[in-house]
Amino acid sequence: MYRIIVTFLLIFNHHFGGGMRLSKYFIPTLREVPAEAEVVSHKAMLRAGMIKKLASGIYDYLPLGLKAIRKAENIIRKNMDLSGAIELLMPSVQPAEMWEESGRWSYYGKELLRIKDRHDRNFCFGPTHEEVTTDIVRSFITSYKQLPINLYQIQTKFRDEVRPRFGLMRGREFIMKDAYSFDVDDAGANVSYGKMRDAYCRIFDDCGLKYTMVEADSGAIGGSYSHEFMVLADTGEDTVISSDKGGYSANLEKAVCGDNWDEWKEEILPAEKKETPNTRTVEELAAFLDVPVMKILKAMIVNVDGSFYCFLVRGDHELNLAKVKNFFGAPSAELASYDDIAVHAEGAPAGFIGPAGLKLEIYADYAVRAMKNVVMGANVKDLHIINANFGRDFDVKTFGDFRNAIEGDTCPVDGGKYILTRGIEVGHIFKLGTKYSESMNAVYLDKEGKRNPMIMGCYGIGVTRVVAAAIEQNHDEKGIIWPVQLAPFQVVIVSLNPNEQAVADLSETIYKELSGLGLDVMYDDRDERAGVKFTDAELVGYPVRVAIGKKSLAEGKVEVTIRKTGETAAVKKEDCISAVMEMLEKLR
RNA sequence: CGGGAUGUAGCGCAGCUUGGUAGCGUACUGGUUUCGGGAACCAGGGGUCGGGGGUUCAAAUCCCCCCAUCCCGACCA
């Protein structure tokens, strides 16, 4: 019996925790930051010896980095399994046929890394796995009785990003958890979606991260919905819009702007032409005329899938092309090129375009309707019209929500004021509908024996990005401050005088006891000076540090320190284990 | 893809203008002392100066081409 328990403990430790001696481990910390790193998490991961760059956007995961990645993966795996999703593993290299079938071989641009095998057949390195999953499901699932099903994997992906940057934050090769659900009908798909939403909340809670779930743009794929999970960090690449009343949050592309403007209380003035040489930007124009930027009517010519329209927004607002695209239900919308402007703007160069006299349909943002006595382009170089007014001087076909929200806007959902924060997109869940099931013929027979396409959802988490985001959110000038749940090692034992027998013995004892409890313990037994060990410990970011040295040991004590707060307690050596456990508990 | 910059020892940098035997800091190896907050001294090892071509008696340095890496932009006229 005893032997069985011991065996179990050994296995348990091997899989779920255990100790490591730093003298026998591999954490190549750097004293100086490689010049290539710009953002906090990138610098910290390089300095802490977690990653090494192999090529642009492609990194080695060194042991410490891999440990953190595995922690995140295990939290994700546990919650995915709990939600009823089933893990499998699909190939990273995929045949072009799959992608031709779904129509994405030509649609997907240069981000898709295409490769050929020795027989000159086309393959790609998978940036995502809708096609492959759909192929599996259509091969084996034919009846409503086998549905719903949700399959997921944790796999290395490759996207040949235009501009990889910020280390693991936007790499080309990265690790992703992706899940795909298949349902018999819309209601079922909504249930599957809800389960994933709940699982994602649990995952990011379990990771110990501060995050928010926001409504996201669902893009051109179906009229369904989508949510993003954002880890909040000042250094985030994305803007999160939320109402200060807490009733709404969304990303910038999606965040709704209301038709809730009061008309400006101004007397209507006669329109007048003004020479405005070299005022290409709104700021230059406003400065030249000495009027506020918001009095300027910004006119832009937009190429919506080959058709051209003019869009008007207030000078201090920005046009949101995603909203334009969705308004027309078009696959693409972009600002017109200079050549196209020359054709469609009556010869006026960019900067002097105005709605009056254009042979294009004019659309305007809601905020424009409230404007009075505006400055607009005269469609002639170096000429603007001041005191122009809607109805008298220009017309608009339709007003709509066509702009980016800004701080202080009134939220049309709950009436609060918009607040902008920065976030890092770590998860995205998506109701796909039948896009892939229809193009790839993933159908099932219902109770009546009729063929129906399955309703799909897809759900992604950037595992490596979660790790980077955790650092971005939790660090100080000394280094990383791991949330306990993601920490590669929860505790470090720093032996300050490894050559003193008493110190070495006690370090050894405490090390064995803590690792015996299933904790991930790093024992810094190196023959290094105290300063080196402390600095490394802070850089690597162990949540709890136990310092054992002859000075405090002379009084029978050791020091236990919390990385996050710097809080240190000198505890009796007998109480060390319980003090560590207590601190770890407090940090969870 | 456009603009800017950089490439010299593992890492951080100088040298380049004005061509003439490749340097500093740190890291690394050996030794002595030290060692509870990145130790001191002594002695060492380590370089296709991103690659190719050109000019020259002579190129890290000047010229041309290429490559790589980073930053900014590629939506606000």
Side-chain angles (χ1 to χ4, degrees):
Chain A
M1 187 63 193
Y2 177 71
R3 193 180 296 167
I4 292 171
I5 292 170
V6 169
T7 309
F8 173 77
L9 279 174
L10 285 173
I11 292 168
F12 183 83
N13 283 344
H14 183 254
H15 286 291
F16 298 106
M20 202 46 90
R21 285 163 204 273
L22 193 42
S23 65
K24 298 194 168 49
Y25 201 54
F26 181 52
I27 306 184
T29 57
L30 302 175
R31 179 173 284 210
E32 278 165 301
V33 198
E36 72 203 33
E38 198 65 27
V39 299
V40 174
S41 60
H42 190 194
K43 286 182 186 168
M45 278 192 267
L46 288 169
R47 280 202 63 205
M50 293 176 66
I51 56 170
K52 180 191 176 301
K53 186 176 72 182
L54 187 59
S56 181
I58 301 177
Y59 291 85
D60 300 305
Y61 305 126
L62 302 180
L64 194 67
L66 182 62
K67 274 247 179 202
I69 289 168
R70 292 287 186 248
K71 290 271 169 123
E73 284 179 356
N74 288 336
I75 290 170
I76 292 166
R77 188 172 279 121
K78 186 189 86 186
N79 284 295
M80 290 302 291
D81 291 347
L82 275 174
S83 79
I86 307 165
E87 185 171 11
L88 46 51
L89 187 59
M90 293 175 270
S92 54
V93 172
Q94 308 177 15
E97 285 76 20
M98 293 276 106
W99 289 72
E100 276 158 2
E101 213 179 331
S102 72
R104 285 160 112 191
W105 186 256
S106 51
Y107 180 80
Y108 223 101
K110 288 187 173 175
E111 269 190 22
L112 186 64
L113 182 65
R114 294 157 214 255
I115 47 184
K116 281 182 192 289
D117 71 3
R118 60 166 68 194
H119 306 293
D120 216 31
R121 285 193 286 255
N122 286 313
F123 287 83
C124 65
F125 200 103
T128 176
H129 283 68
E130 280 84 4
E131 283 81 359
V132 181
T133 321
T134 306
D135 175 63
I136 292 171
V137 168
R138 71 176 170 185
S139 303
F140 299 114
I141 294 189
T142 49
S143 160
Y144 73 94
K145 293 175 194 166
Q146 295 166 290
L147 294 173
I149 191 167
N150 185 337
L151 299 174
Y152 81 97
Q153 65 171 346
I154 297 175
Q155 181 44 305
T156 295
K157 311 276 186 178
F158 196 96
R159 293 182 186 170
D160 203 353
E161 292 275 348
V162 192
R163 192 177 153 206
R165 57 185 141 175
F166 306 151
L168 292 196
M169 198 79 90
R170 184 175 291 282
R172 293 194 289 175
E173 184 175 295
F174 58 100
I175 298 172
M176 184 176 178
K177 186 286 305 174
D178 48 328
Y180 306 89
S181 67
F182 297 80
D183 276 272
V184 292
D185 56 19
D186 209 56
N190 289 344
V191 171
S192 295
Y193 187 92
K195 280 185 183 171
M196 282 296 102
R197 191 184 53 219
D198 295 346
Y200 274 40
C201 289
R202 285 197 304 272
I203 286 167
F204 297 118
D205 281 335
D206 284 1
C207 286
L209 297 172
K210 291 187 278 292
Y211 71 97
T212 181
M213 182 179 79
V214 304
E215 283 184 25
D217 180 49
S218 50
I221 317 167
S224 35
Y225 43 85
S226 143
H227 287 89
E228 286 173 352
F229 289 78
M230 305 286 227
V231 166
L232 302 175
D234 298 337
T235 49
E237 278 191 277
D238 296 305
T239 302
V240 177
I241 314 278
S242 43
S243 165
D244 63 0
K245 286 193 179 168
Y248 181 77
S249 60
N251 72 12
L252 186 64
E253 281 200 332
K254 170 86 177 184
V256 291
C257 300
D259 184 8
N260 47 16
W261 296 95
D262 294 329
E263 279 200 11
W264 295 2
K265 292 180 177 54
E266 282 185 31
E267 201 177 319
I268 303 285
L269 300 171
E272 195 181 328
K273 285 184 182 172
K274 281 268 186 191
E275 292 277 345
T276 52
N278 302 318
T279 54
R280 293 187 71 84
T281 68
V282 166
E283 287 71 26
E284 285 164 3
L285 181 61
F288 181 84
L289 293 172
D290 195 25
V291 297
V293 170
M294 67 184 289
K295 286 216 82 164
I296 290 165
L297 186 64
K298 202 151 63 172
M300 282 152 287
I301 296 181
V302 182
N303 178 346
V304 181
D305 198 30
S307 303
F308 292 85
Y309 303 95
C310 175
F311 276 83
L312 306 175
V313 298
R314 210 172 77 182
D316 57 330
H317 288 160
E318 291 183 355
L319 185 66
N320 179 322
L321 286 168
K323 290 180 179 177
V324 171
K325 195 172 79 173
N326 290 341
F327 178 80
F328 287 100
S332 74
E334 54 192 25
L335 289 182
S337 66
Y338 286 100
D339 289 346
D340 289 330
I341 289 174
V343 175
H344 295 282
E346 311 303 317
F352 303 96
I353 297 169
L358 281 186
K359 292 186 187 65
L360 294 173
E361 287 180 1
I362 313 281
Y363 294 85
D365 183 70
Y366 289 131
V368 170
R369 187 150 53 191
M371 296 170 75
K372 293 279 162 65
N373 300 323
V374 303
V375 179
M376 67 180 189
N379 294 324
V380 175
K381 187 175 183 332
D382 294 342
L383 197 65
H384 278 85
I385 295 167
I386 63 166
N387 298 327
N389 285 284
F390 168 59
R392 184 188 70 185
D393 305 305
F394 65 95
D395 276 315
V396 168
K397 181 178 162 84
T398 304
F399 288 94
D401 173 13
F402 297 122
R403 69 181 176 94
N404 287 337
I406 58 174
E407 182 106 21
D409 280 347
T410 301
C411 172
V413 176
D414 69 2
K417 294 287 176 205
Y418 274 154
I419 303 167
L420 272 59
T421 45
R422 306 296 290 175
I424 299 161
E425 183 193 342
V426 289
H428 199 159
I429 59 177
F430 214 104
K431 199 175 148 196
L432 275 180
T434 56
K435 179 181 161 73
Y436 298 95
S437 51
E438 276 179 0
S439 60
M440 295 185 65
N441 200 32
V443 297
Y444 67 95
L445 291 184
D446 63 17
K447 282 180 183 165
E448 280 79 46
K450 273 176 55 188
R451 288 157 64 89
N452 293 301
M454 300 174 197
I455 316 292
M456 292 175 60
C458 71
Y459 317 93
I461 293 179
V463 179
T464 34
R465 190 182 276 187
V466 166
V467 173
I471 295 172
E472 215 60 53
Q473 189 180 75
N474 302 284
H475 66 270
D476 62 15
E477 64 289 343
K478 291 174 178 171
I480 303 167
I481 306 174
W482 286 111
V484 181
Q485 299 88 328
L486 292 177
F489 295 90
Q490 293 119 336
V491 187
V492 62
I493 297 163
V494 179
S495 170
L496 295 170
N497 319 91
N499 299 321
E500 296 274 332
Q501 197 57 46
V503 171
D505 287 348
L506 181 62
S507 303
E508 192 74 25
T509 306
I510 291 177
Y511 164 59
K512 282 182 176 153
E513 282 186 39
L514 283 173
S515 15
L517 291 167
L519 292 174
D520 291 302
V521 186
M522 177 56 74
Y523 173 22
D524 191 348
D525 59 338
R526 294 175 301 171
D527 186 15
E528 285 285 355
R529 302 171 73 83
V532 173
K533 294 187 175 193
F534 284 143
T535 312
D536 269 357
E538 281 150 354
L539 175 61
V540 167
Y542 309 94
V544 172
R545 182 183 81 194
V546 179
I548 303 170
K550 62 180 174 188
K551 276 191 191 166
S552 48
L553 192 53
E555 298 164 28
K557 291 185 170 175
V558 299
E559 284 160 24
V560 186
T561 306
I562 294 181
R563 171 69 177 90
K564 185 173 184 167
T565 58
E567 184 187 332
T568 294
V571 302
K572 282 190 279 195
K573 62 182 181 188
E574 302 79 25
D575 300 335
C576 176
I577 305 295
S578 56
V580 168
M581 296 307 282
E582 207 172 293
M583 284 186 175
L584 284 175
E585 199 48 47
K586 209 161 80 180
L587 288 169
R588 274 188 187 275

